[in-house]
Amino acid sequence: MNKYYTTIGLEIHAELKTKTKMFCACINNPDEKNPNTNICPVCMAHPGTLPVVNKKAVENVVKVGLALDANIADFTEFDRKNYFYPDIPKGYQISQYKYPIVSGGHLADFDVTRVHLEEDTANNKHDRGDYSLIDFNRAGVPLMELVTEPHTFASSEEASAKATFFAKELQLLLWYLGVSEANMEKGEMRVEANISVSSDKEKFGTKVEVKNLNSFRSVERAIKYETDRMIKILEEGKGEGIVQETRGWDENKQLTFSQRKKETSQDYRYFPDPDIPKFNLHKLFNMEEIHKSLPELPAQKRARYKKDFDLKDEDVETFINDMELAEWFQSVVVILNDVEKIKIAVNYITSDLLGLKKNNADVKYPNVKNFAELIEMVFQNQISSRVAKDLLIRITKDDMSPKEIAEKEDLLQKNDTDALTKIAQDIIEKNPKVVEDYKNGKENALMSLVGQIMKETKGSANPSVAKEILSNLLK
Ligand code: ADP
Ligand code: ZN
Ligand code: MG
């Protein structure tokens, strides 16, 4: 069998999080459950209505462009993309063709071709048997489309992993920029993958476009499935070979199926929408100001976490992917202001705090001051890790100083040899059987006595000191 290269180009749609729709004043609410609530003559395509561009939506796409290090067009315009389908009542979708808002840029392994703005379609409900219903709540919602350049990978595994990573990274970027919820399950972000295989690294094979990818998992699996299918066709060398077409992903059967032979852009008879003024983006917006207003982006944050705190990749990703956590953690970092203390904090966050939150969704992030104080006590060896874990639970429930609790409840680590010796003697007297076992050579018995001291002191004894005292007493 030949070695095959896999080429991928992605087309990703994301609904923008704006107050109102793209060309009318209707509310843009993706969670509206009552059908045909947020509608008006404009998004219902009544004759004589005129679209008005939502400036905020344009600004959101500009932000995406700046974050991708792309070019923001001087001149931009909206076009009519003509096709007939019940979900597009005007008989055309307002989109952008020749002059997209954004061109160029890059993210993860892919170069970006363009990002443009269009309007989302209505929702068809085909689940009623012999008739269909249409919900226009989504019609006219601002929708950005990002298209990547084709990128060739050495294997289908690499291609599917990198394409999936790109989609995740774009979702993160949209979250960080605050421009889209980009929830794939809700259809707020939709991925289409163009896929081709070739045994010649320098020459693209015939591509197939796969639609209906509603989760990162399906992106990954569809690319693997489709490359295998195409390689098989090439290896068998029979029939008409690979056909350029649009295929759908069947989530239940985990396979792709032919939907239609691909239409070309001529089929859409694009032309500039005469109802919408053309504009110059650099006159409309102050690019420098928007650029300065961008938050720290995922890639920047990732690099900073690695460089400043020397964290494990896995921990870095935990923080990068959880914006609420990252924001809370940032305040902790500012207070602790010390790499060693921050590392201890990360440890308590990833292995304890997040565990607590996972088991109980109601668990809240503690007051940062209290948490930093707790870490400070651990760092100073003032409390044992067991006490620290207990205190952590308590400060997630109440806004209390862990230091005050520890002092009041006598939980500070006892390194005080005299006090510990007294307790140890007491424990030895109460456990003659264990002591005998130990004297007969059973090393483990000593740890059982240490455990009793820990219990007696509510975890505040320093276990290694306790162990030393015991073994001295039992010599
Ligand atoms: P079309 O005109 O068929 O829509 P485009 O040139 O606009 O094709 O490209 C659409 C998407 O397909 C882009 O993301 C592009 O990177 C990708 N693409 C183009 N050629 C290939 C190929 N041979 N293999 C995989 N992806 C491709
Ligand atoms: Zn409307
Ligand atoms: Mg295209």
Side-chain angles (χ1 to χ4, degrees):
M1 190 168 116
N2 283 313
K3 171 169 176 50
Y4 288 97
Y5 295 90
T6 302
T7 301
I8 306 287
L10 298 165
E11 295 173 87
I12 304 185
H13 285 92
E15 285 175 358
L16 298 179
K17 194 165 69 175
T18 49
K19 281 205 192 78
T20 56
K21 290 188 182 179
M22 188 61 230
F23 299 110
C24 61
C26 288
I27 299 297
N28 169 14
N29 177 10
D31 298 319
E32 179 57 62
K33 293 285 174 296
N34 292 319
N36 296 312
T37 310
N38 297 319
I39 57 172
C40 75
V42 176
C43 52
M44 296 287 287
H46 290 195
T49 57
L50 286 171
V52 177
V53 173
N54 181 337
K55 191 175 171 187
K56 199 77 198 165
V58 178
E59 186 181 339
N60 283 348
V61 175
V62 166
K63 281 186 182 168
V64 173
L66 292 173
L68 294 170
D69 230 348
N71 305 312
I72 310 298
D74 270 326
F75 175 85
T76 196
E77 67 180 5
F78 285 90
D79 297 273
R80 292 185 179 181
K81 179 182 183 180
N82 298 279
Y83 67 94
F84 294 95
Y85 201 63
D87 66 5
I88 197 88
K90 292 192 291 291
Y92 60 84
Q93 178 189 32
I94 305 178
S95 180
Q96 295 193 286
Y97 186 51
K98 262 203 186 136
Y99 300 99
I101 295 171
V102 171
S103 55
H106 43 85
L107 184 69
D109 288 280
F110 289 83
D111 287 329
V112 173
T113 312
R114 56 187 278 150
V115 188
H116 70 247
L117 193 50
E118 55 192 33
E119 55 179 338
D120 209 346
T121 57
N123 255 320
N124 291 321
K125 312 260 178 215
H126 294 309
D127 55 356
R128 313 281 153 145
D130 56 356
Y131 65 98
S132 291
L133 295 172
I134 305 178
D135 176 6
F136 285 90
N137 283 341
R138 201 184 67 179
V141 163
L143 191 65
M144 64 158 244
E145 176 173 1
L146 177 148
V147 181
T148 77
E149 290 291 296
H151 190 103
T152 302
F153 298 95
S155 69
S156 69
E157 285 77 21
E158 191 190 356
S160 73
K162 293 290 175 59
T164 309
F165 182 75
F166 179 91
K168 286 187 180 165
E169 200 64 1
L170 179 66
Q171 182 188 57
L172 262 188
L173 187 72
L174 298 175
W175 284 348
Y176 275 51
L177 294 172
V179 301
S180 174
E181 294 292 331
N183 181 327
M184 286 191 79
E185 279 71 45
K186 284 185 172 173
E188 291 164 344
M189 181 167 127
R190 317 194 271 270
V191 176
E192 290 156 26
N194 296 271
I195 307 165
S196 65
V197 298
S198 170
S199 53
D200 181 349
K201 199 176 173 182
E202 307 299 325
K203 238 172 94 187
F204 291 155
T206 303
K207 77 170 160 120
V208 153
E209 180 174 346
V210 180
K211 290 186 185 283
N212 313 344
L213 301 173
N214 299 327
S215 68
F216 295 117
R217 238 198 162 140
S218 354
V219 174
E220 198 184 337
R221 293 198 176 155
I223 291 175
K224 283 225 191 78
Y225 177 89
E226 192 54 28
T227 46
D228 286 349
R229 189 188 70 87
M230 291 194 283
I231 290 171
K232 203 167 153 227
I233 293 175
L234 293 177
E235 285 288 307
E236 284 172 356
K238 283 190 299 213
E240 48 180 344
I242 295 165
V243 180
Q244 182 172 339
E245 62 183 347
T246 301
R247 297 176 72 85
W249 171 249
D250 186 325
E251 185 61 43
N252 294 323
K253 296 189 190 143
Q254 297 278 301
L255 49 79
T256 66
F257 59 95
S258 179
Q259 281 184 319
R260 54 188 138 97
K261 305 296 171 237
K262 189 151 171 70
E263 57 287 281
T264 65
S265 59
Q266 280 98 326
D267 295 333
Y268 292 121
R269 296 159 18 256
Y270 280 101
F271 66 91
D273 192 317
D275 290 339
I276 303 176
K278 302 160 193 318
F279 43 91
N280 181 318
L281 290 167
H282 293 260
K283 283 198 185 127
L284 200 61
F285 298 108
N286 182 335
M287 291 303 164
E288 224 166 284
E289 224 159 71
I290 297 180
H291 201 267
K292 265 194 283 181
S293 77
L294 296 183
E296 183 181 34
L297 300 174
Q300 296 168 330
K301 186 169 269 180
R302 196 177 275 125
R304 177 167 67 88
Y305 277 14
K306 278 190 189 158
K307 180 169 159 284
D308 290 1
F309 314 138
D310 184 30
L311 301 186
K312 278 184 290 186
D313 285 355
E314 175 194 339
D315 290 338
V316 171
E317 291 314 307
T318 302
F319 287 98
I320 297 292
N321 283 292
D322 186 336
M323 286 171 69
E324 191 194 357
L325 167 64
E327 200 173 303
W328 176 81
F329 177 62
Q330 186 55 37
S331 318
V332 173
V333 165
V334 169
I335 300 180
L336 292 177
N337 193 27
D338 175 282
V339 182
E340 289 311 313
K341 292 178 194 171
I342 292 167
K343 276 189 175 171
I344 296 172
V346 168
N347 218 336
Y348 276 90
I349 293 168
T350 54
S351 45
D352 299 289
L353 184 57
L354 294 181
L356 290 172
K357 284 179 76 73
K358 205 168 164 187
N359 290 335
N360 179 356
D362 294 336
V363 170
K364 293 194 178 44
Y365 289 109
N367 179 324
V368 277
K369 265 195 357 230
N370 296 337
F371 182 74
E373 192 178 276
L374 179 73
I375 298 305
E376 190 72 48
M377 284 197 290
V378 174
F379 178 76
Q380 303 286 354
N381 231 340
Q382 290 168 347
I383 48 175
S384 67
S385 64
R386 219 206 78 192
V387 167
K389 284 174 209 276
D390 288 346
L391 287 174
L392 178 60
I393 294 175
R394 293 178 62 176
I395 62 173
T396 59
K397 292 185 181 143
D398 298 303
D399 184 3
M400 290 167 81
S401 149
K403 194 168 194 139
E404 277 172 25
I405 303 177
E407 278 164 0
K408 224 179 3 213
E409 299 184 13
D410 196 22
L411 301 172
L412 290 173
Q413 184 133 264
K414 291 186 182 62
N415 296 314
D416 172 355
T417 329
D418 286 349
L420 276 183
T421 306
K422 258 201 198 128
I423 296 170
Q425 278 163 337
D426 194 39
I427 297 287
I428 287 171
E429 256 169 53
K430 281 185 189 150
N431 295 277
K433 173 90 180 53
V434 187
V435 169
E436 203 186 309
D437 285 349
Y438 175 67
K439 286 192 167 154
N440 289 335
K442 210 172 146 198
E443 284 288 327
N444 274 348
L446 193 66
M447 288 325 288
S448 141
L449 294 174
V450 172
Q452 303 240 23
I453 293 181
M454 298 308 291
K455 203 167 155 194
E456 184 66 34
T457 60
K458 286 180 270 165
S460 67
N462 181 328
S464 55
V465 175
K467 190 176 163 194
E468 202 181 308
I469 289 171
L470 279 168
S471 64
N472 281 335
L473 288 172
L474 296 175
K475 247 182 209 153

